[in-house]
Amino acid sequence: MNRAQLQKLYPQVRSFTEALCEPLAIEDYVVQSMPDASPVKWHLAHTSWFFETFVLKPAVPSYRPFDERYAYLFNSYYYGAGERHPQPQRGLLSRPTVAQVLDYRRHVDGAMRRFLEDAPERALSERSFVIEVGLNHEEQHQELILTDFKHVLAQNPLAPAYRPAPEPAAGARVPLEWLAYAGGLVALGHQGPGFAFDNERPRHHVFLAPFALASRPVTCAEYEAFLADGGYQRPDVWLSDGWNVRERAGLSAPLYWQHDGTRWLEKTLGGLRPVDPRAPVCHVSYYEADAYARWAGARLPLEGEWELVASSAPVRGNFAEAGLFQPAPTEPGRGPLQLFGDVWEWTASPYLPYPGYEPFPDALGEYNGKFMSGRMVLRGGSCATPTRHIRASYRNFFPLDARWQFSGIRLARAAD
Amino acid sequence: MNRAQLQKLYPQVRSFTEALCEPLAIEDYVVQSMPDASPVKWHLAHTSWFFETFVLKPAVPSYRPFDERYAYLFNSYYYGAGERHPQPQRGLLSRPTVAQVLDYRRHVDGAMRRFLEDAPERALSERSFVIEVGLNHEEQHQELILTDFKHVLAQNPLAPAYRPAPEPAAGARVPLEWLAYAGGLVALGHQGPGFAFDNERPRHHVFLAPFALASRPVTCAEYEAFLADGGYQRPDVWLSDGWNVRERAGLSAPLYWQHDGTRWLEKTLGGLRPVDPRAPVCHVSYYEADAYARWAGARLPLEGEWELVASSAPVRGNFAEAGLFQPAPTEPGRGPLQLFGDVWEWTASPYLPYPGYEPFPDALGEYNGKFMSGRMVLRGGSCATPTRHIRASYRNFFPLDARWQFSGIRLARAAD
Amino acid sequence: MNRAQLQKLYPQVRSFTEALCEPLAIEDYVVQSMPDASPVKWHLAHTSWFFETFVLKPAVPSYRPFDERYAYLFNSYYYGAGERHPQPQRGLLSRPTVAQVLDYRRHVDGAMRRFLEDAPERALSERSFVIEVGLNHEEQHQELILTDFKHVLAQNPLAPAYRPAPEPAAGARVPLEWLAYAGGLVALGHQGPGFAFDNERPRHHVFLAPFALASRPVTCAEYEAFLADGGYQRPDVWLSDGWNVRERAGLSAPLYWQHDGTRWLEKTLGGLRPVDPRAPVCHVSYYEADAYARWAGARLPLEGEWELVASSAPVRGNFAEAGLFQPAPTEPGRGPLQLFGDVWEWTASPYLPYPGYEPFPDALGEYNGKFMSGRMVLRGGSCATPTRHIRASYRNFFPLDARWQFSGIRLARAAD
Amino acid sequence: MNRAQLQKLYPQVRSFTEALCEPLAIEDYVVQSMPDASPVKWHLAHTSWFFETFVLKPAVPSYRPFDERYAYLFNSYYYGAGERHPQPQRGLLSRPTVAQVLDYRRHVDGAMRRFLEDAPERALSERSFVIEVGLNHEEQHQELILTDFKHVLAQNPLAPAYRPAPEPAAGARVPLEWLAYAGGLVALGHQGPGFAFDNERPRHHVFLAPFALASRPVTCAEYEAFLADGGYQRPDVWLSDGWNVRERAGLSAPLYWQHDGTRWLEKTLGGLRPVDPRAPVCHVSYYEADAYARWAGARLPLEGEWELVASSAPVRGNFAEAGLFQPAPTEPGRGPLQLFGDVWEWTASPYLPYPGYEPFPDALGEYNGKFMSGRMVLRGGSCATPTRHIRASYRNFFPLDARWQFSGIRLARAAD
């Protein structure tokens, strides 16, 4: 990215983060509802720490940190960047206050603005890539602000909403179709000049057997049929680890679902609402997605299968900018439908390095590579992902029992 | 208490609670730093819930609760008052906001003021006792606000202070003397017309062997000598359970103490400060107090011994109203010194019912009696206790490993 | 004890331990079913270690240990005697084998026999007391062999028996009567020349209010009425800690009880049998005993009350030598009945040092004193206690949630 | 397999299991040292349960189970075969005794012998495959008997040996060479008539980039260099999950290694011995293998790479029949060396279904498929694997933190 592009994008991305926080009360910024989630306040600070640590401190000799101690408080997991405050204790910090964190943002933003304006071309081009990583990083935290805060609200018996949501429009159910693909030796992974994370590279070949992909994600109505068929009481359709998780955690439905005696309700960022039978089911773990697929006589797609199909589809969908923050019912059309947006789609592929994988250089080498075990790949982005952030080669990854992301299911199977 | 007394005391006590919160930022009200402690916000609401539940709802037919759902959120442990939100999850609630909780207080205070003004004499006298309990209850939570918030601040690497504290005045160390008492058959427990909790009654007899009581609490200097003598590495002076706690929790000094390589520092509500060698040691568990006493060739006093001595001493000392919120160095004088205020003094007496104990009637029966196992009695109040709250017969009680209260040590031994 | 007495008693006590093991298969000696219990093999070795460590090593210069490494393996909790194998890992040791442990016993017994024969009078008298402690210690482990192995068998779905038990004789229920006592200033604790543990001393005075004691222990029929009245669903009769234990552990009846749809059955050392309504209930925790007492409108006795009554009763009852290993139905007679034997009786008294308590000297100082927190006193012995072992002043002690001992309930109340 | 083959193989396999137990004392059969491991007694019974449950009960109408309750006790994880005793509690069972379990084996063996002799051809052929699975299953448990019992012995401070081992012969170190392979589109998975597990099928194609494979496993000397270079203190070479495991479990060397101040020693089935620098390192987790590989500038092989190379190598090596039960030093020769036997080799491939995977039919469908998450593939067998059991397509699988198998490391890297 050149100077002009960065000067345009930086304030856009940064201000969208703050815009997402507008509906929050001060108290909302503080709570950490589980070790894997972080307080909103922390996200605001950590994304600023990123620019301070990887751009301003190394590239701007005159830069004075807002508070030296923030290096410790807001480092997430970069051993190369020094000691850090333990992740499960982020919710124990009432200070710095929200106002102080916002001051910290302004301090960093001011220095970044000056750097983007004043830096000699060579200094800028040396840091251009890291800044672009930082903006993509901030976009990831925009999504986490929404999903982590949704989790906070869900712990509250008062059932507060992030902000009111419109009633979903009426409409018919869209039947599931199977789209057949020949597979064969295909090239996957990012190519071309645009930004991509290291984990999307290098482009490489895989061999795919012929397969079919569902034309749309699994809907809540379909998932209710799974529930009604005793899906959570049938070990034969579950992975062994999944069944153990189910028993230990007492799972009986997707996260945020509750039954009122008559029907299923769902906690959403717009408050407690009836489950929409036409919308993609979400907040299911890999184990649930896999069990559903087996119950349905299908399987989850390989990430290669998904990417092969997606690479010829436009990147359009229900993303964060729509402000819906909830998967929308499928609309009729030629499939594949809703590949992008709405829900992240669990794949059957563990998150692994591509052949010849090279991590980002220096401290950013910890960004992705060290998480390449114990996680599955999800594809396509969700209703909480910023539009700009996603592409066909994008690989998200979460542990197999994670449910607090907008994670859903698309089925695949061998071609007939 | 009659109408005039209640009308005077109620606003006094309630406003002192809020005055204690003045130095807090909004964020400070939200955090719960451990299951045994509660967010300040919760204390503000729970103490209001108490009046709402035990006075307004039963006695004022026209009373409309501020929010029906608060009955669930702010019930602490009263099974008789219905279901309740789990204590360890109090810090997961960002809502109600602090402003809403303060509105709740005003709502309750308004209704209470009207009740105290307008209630017919008989209705008032029927509730007078419960209101008095409620005010004493509020005073207990004033102390907890200070100790719980101290614990919150102590988790924070930024080492924030509740509010600045004055430098302690210079002064000499006061030597420890042994005061001898004959013991014998003595009457203990509350008597007379003033308020007392059910656990201070009935007055009854115990037989005490002759004993001697230390003229003042154990000081930090004395406790440092224990540390220097390897007190935390010598199982022979520890109770078995205490030694296990010490190992499991990695204890090596009182809570809030840290060594900077040169000297001991202490986190106080006024920030991180050097340990004052002349001040009573505090934030020690029963196990530590007991180990110290054994190391010193002494023992902890029985609660009967303590009360016998205290019952002829004036209730004066370093209490919450002094605003020091930290134990003060002993000042020279005729002992016993500092029996009241500064630090709660662990006794060697388990918290048990006195012979013939009768719990408060109805739901308040859960106030004290059900905690009469697994806890030891502490006596005398601390620098965080409101003055009005304490008396010679007052029994505080905490588990043997609790350290976050201002709990200290006074030695006793058999008379020569 | 003099030489002749020790020469007679030592082999008696030691051989009774081994006699208790006769019904066991080799496999039975190995299992540790919970951290608080030990494998039978360990008990056999540890009791030998006691004589080796506290008698033979210090008093017999020519003594050669059977295996130097046993000092580590079979030290229970004596810090003064060196490092020790962690208690929860005793069941991980398949070696030494049972045969080796029995060889160890013979090795120690041979050396002890020679010492008792050959030791000069002065050397013998210096060690006479420790040997007597060792024999009393062995008796305690005889009881633990039975209770720990009962716990092992109870984990086994095959429901094996230790050995067959006779059918209980028919007989009528014996009604409960209240026996009144005046109390006052009474002297308690061991006196006289016989053996007593340090925790039974010194004799001292306590003041007791007038009280009444139940003529017999609470029976299974009475406890079933508590169950039928929802005793395990009523927090109002439980201590707070007890209720939490009940919820966490899912308690719904005494340990070893199970309902077959029609009636209560009980795992006994003689196998699974119907609960005998006339027999004392046992395997209840302090929390259950206390809850039962509150439900019954009574309380548990103070240990002083119990001892006052027991000190004028003969030490007779259903002890281990009877070979029943199960509480027997009360037989009619003048009360108090079954004070000794059948079931240990929980008292309302925490296990604390008597005023002026002095631990045994040297390493034996760890025998009792360091456990004087977090435990309640039980009195009277059980059907698994050797007869010789018990007396009116004897104080047993266990944590409040312990249930695997033969622990039962005797009620008390204030005198009318 | 036909009748004659089964009649020959069945007693061979079954008796080898018992031969492995010959060095054991009765006590050795009972202990369970961790939830993932089982008592030897359990292995002996479970392998018999397999034939009883999947052959005798369904195929022999006249068969009478040895004890109906064993169906519950010795079912491992087959939901389709009914309820089962919890795995972590297998070590709590002293009964059935070893003698009873051996009787159970004889009972099953007698019935199987009669079935193999007398069954009509059709009945036999219907069960022939299940019997073959049962024999392969028994071979897996032969290895587990060795690894689980090694873990039991390792808990014992007495450091007992399973049986004495010979001194390793002297010899030089064999240098590591890199063997280059072209990769491309290759066919993997079992083909042909011999036995294979469902997880080795179907044969399918994968595309492999050119790669190089190390000529031999990583040796202890090489791993010591990793230790000496601070390998366990460098988060940069570890996966994030692995680093967390390392911290939580306090790992500092392979399982069973200990340092005596001078050199590394290793607990082996032959007792405590100096680490042999020329032998393959073993008892490392996937995380350790992966960290070592990154530190060494290499990576672990994909299972496809491994299988491609192994499919043209003879299945020879240091297997269980050799009786060494410990990896042997590499002997000079043309590589690849030690692909089979000595140590299982961790691959970089998660244990996943091959495209088109079909589980075994009926209850045996639970054998493999449900474990296809959270585990990595290991290849090649170990010094504890029976020779007959292994082949190039064989896929073993364990969680990423498992260390108690004979699991080692072979390096791979991209071709130059």
Side-chain angles (χ1 to χ4, degrees), chain D residues 342-364:
Chain D
D342 289 303
V343 292
W344 288 101
E345 301 180 7
W346 284 109
T347 74
S349 298
Y351 180 50
L352 292 173
Y354 286 162
Y357 167 68
E358 294 285 347
F360 283 157
D362 307 324
L364 290 187

Side-chain angles (χ1 to χ4, degrees), chain C residues 27-28 69 94-95 98 156, chain D residues 27-28 94-95 98 156:
Chain C
E27 292 86 344
D28 293 332
R69 301 169 303 175
S94 61
R95 320 283 179 93
V98 173
N156 199 317
Chain D
E27 292 86 342
D28 292 332
S94 61
R95 318 284 178 93
V98 174
N156 198 318

